[in-house]
Every structure is written in structure tokens, then in C-alpha cells.
Amino acid sequence: MTVVGVLVGLVAGVLLGAGLALVWLRRSTPDRQPAPAETVEQVAAPPSSVDVIDALPVAVAVLDASDTVVLANRSALRLGLIRSDRLDVAELRRLVRDVRRTRAAQEVEVELEPTRLGRTPEAVRVRLVPVGAGGHVALLVEDVTEARRVEAVRRDFVANVSHELKTPVGAMALLSEALQDASCDPEAVRRFAGRVQHEADRLGRLVQELIDLSRLQGADPLPAPTAVPVDSVVAEAVDRARTAAAAHGIEIVRGGETGLTVAGSESQLVTAVGNLIENAVHYSPGQTRVAVAVKRHGEAVEITVTDQGIGIAEKDLERVFERFYRADPARSRATGGTGLGLAIVKHVATNHGGEVSVWSVEGSGSTFTLRLPVMAVARPPGRAPQPHHDDGRGVA
């Protein structure tokens, strides 16, 4: 029997006033003796059908021949589809009348009006079934708003990926044609070959970051956590960004506390901090500084990356962690950015029970802060974290 059949059976039982007869079947044997009276008294009575329907996560409602709601469980009331003893959605009332007239069950998805105050779901999947001969109709309603949103995100993601992949691939195709036409011009060949290399690197980064993001969003996004020294994470992340920073005349300096430890995946945390530093380098003018600081704040370790770059407009602050979102698309494409770096940082932070935030004023630089739960580590008596002061020469 299907779940719908079971629910309809429950509803029919309530309408007939007979309740739901739950029978405990026991295997009988010829020499079985009747159970003692005190044992029988200890057996809890089975729940009534009303109790069972009320406990269901699926919204259940029953309308009589006059469209009056004669039964509704808690889930139906929470969805806000019922006002007093009437259905509050005109489309559902129409469907009820159709089912009553045709005596045929229907299953449809219904969009709800977004302007209704206090209504949480935006869309519901409804199964309507005629019950009995008195014109009653049962509704089984499931909120599918979140499923719709997930599907919309998936469609947007696929569309964005397709667009982002087409851009470097198309550029490489055009550049290869230009290389063929300029085969007799060594200078042009070198210039076009450099552009091909740039687009190939960008394509490689995009594919790798898509793989990283997919793993972070998978069923097991975080491997078995281990004790991770924050000093090692910052040192590795700074080392990865040193070449790009030097090419732009940007100095990376470190400061703050040392000896702090968090629990998690060192490789993921290096990726996250490295993405923040690389992002700061890409959006900073030459001959400036990028500062990386570590401190303990309560039960959290805060890793901040501050630049003296172009800053972020207020309208973009809430969206910078979205996949493929670029506050400055032209600059991002010029530097080979994929628009996935900060999205990866956000997922790493979430997987580690932390968060990432940004403070920025347009034209005055930005500060990104990665907060992670601190992991207590036993220290020798009398020892405490010591502040680390950079000498201005960066970190080797």
C-alpha cells in the first residue's frame, strides 16, 4: 500500500468516526497461558488516528461537501493555508471542487501568492483524493519551496559554468587562428602565444576550483578533522601568493598571535586563506601592503586579510561570496579570476563550523575575516601565546 493510500485510509477512518484499529498480532501456541492482569495493564494503548494524522510532517486537511475544513493537522495550520474553517487559497478551492465533481484524484504543484502576509511557502505539491460518498475531499500538501530554490540554484550554476567555460575556450580558438595568420611575425607569435597561455591557465584554475567547490559541497565535505596549527596555514598561504605579490610590487606582512590551533583540514584551510590573500593581491595597486593577522577572540581564532586596494561598493558586499559574482568583472578577467575563490572560502568556513565576513569602503581597501572555532591545546605551565611582530620584510 502506498503512503497516500495509508493517509487516505486514516482520513477515512476519522470521518467515519471509527478511529484507527491497531491490532497487535501475537503468534499463539496451544499451551500459552493468558497474560497476568498486571502485565496487560502496563501495555500502552495505541494512538488514535487523529493523533497519527496530527503527528505527520505532511500537511493533511479534509473538506466536506460545503468546502468547510472538518479536519486539519498541525502541519496544515503551520503552512498558513487555512483561515478559520476555510481554505485560504483560491486555486486549491477550485481543485477541490474539480475532484469532488470528477471523483478522480489529482496531484499538482501550486504557486502561492507571494504578497500574502505571514505565508511562508511559495509553492506546494498537493495530492487531492475523494474520500467516502459524502463529498469529502482530502488534501495532502507538501511545501516544495526549498526544492524549487535548489533547482533554480542548480540551473543558474550550470548556466554560469557554461558561460565561464565558453569564454576561455572561445578566446583560445580565436588566438590559435591569429597564431596561424601571424606565423611569419615572431613578435606577434610571442604575443598571441602568451595570451593562449593566459587563457589556458585561467581555464585550468576554473576547472580545479569547480572540482574543489564540488568536493566542499559533497556528502562528506570535511575529512576526519585533525589539529591544525594556524601558523602553518598562514605560512603556506603566504608562500603561495608571494610570487604574484612580488610581480605587482606588493608586500605581504604578518602579525598577531602565534601558537593557536584549530580542528579541521589543513589543506582546505590553506586554500581558504590563500584565496583571501590572492584576492587581496589581485585587487590592490602596486607598491602597497597586504596584511595577514591572527588573534584569538573568545572561543574563535580570527584570521584577517587587509589590503589597500580599490575596496568594494556597499551594494556588492552581500554578494561577494556568491559563485561567479565579480564586483569588478573587467579587473577580475584581466587578472584571470574565476569568481569562485570567495565562494570556496565561505564553504570551507562553514564546513569548519566558522564563518567569513568582509568590511570594505570603496576606494579605501577591504578586510576579510575568517573565524574558526579554537581548539584547546595543553601548554606547559607559565606559557601563553605570544604576539608576533613582523619586521616589515614579509615572511620567508
Side-chain angles (χ1 to χ4, degrees), residues 270-289:
V270 169
T271 297
V273 177
N275 284 357
L276 292 178
I277 297 174
E278 290 173 7
N279 188 73
V281 169
H282 289 160
Y283 286 90
S284 295
Q287 311 308 314
T288 59
R289 279 189 172 190

Side-chain angles (χ1 to χ4, degrees), residues 288-303:
T288 59
R289 279 189 172 190
V290 170
V292 184
V294 178
K295 71 174 182 178
R296 177 168 179 168
H297 185 78
E299 296 303 312
V301 174
E302 295 184 349
I303 305 172

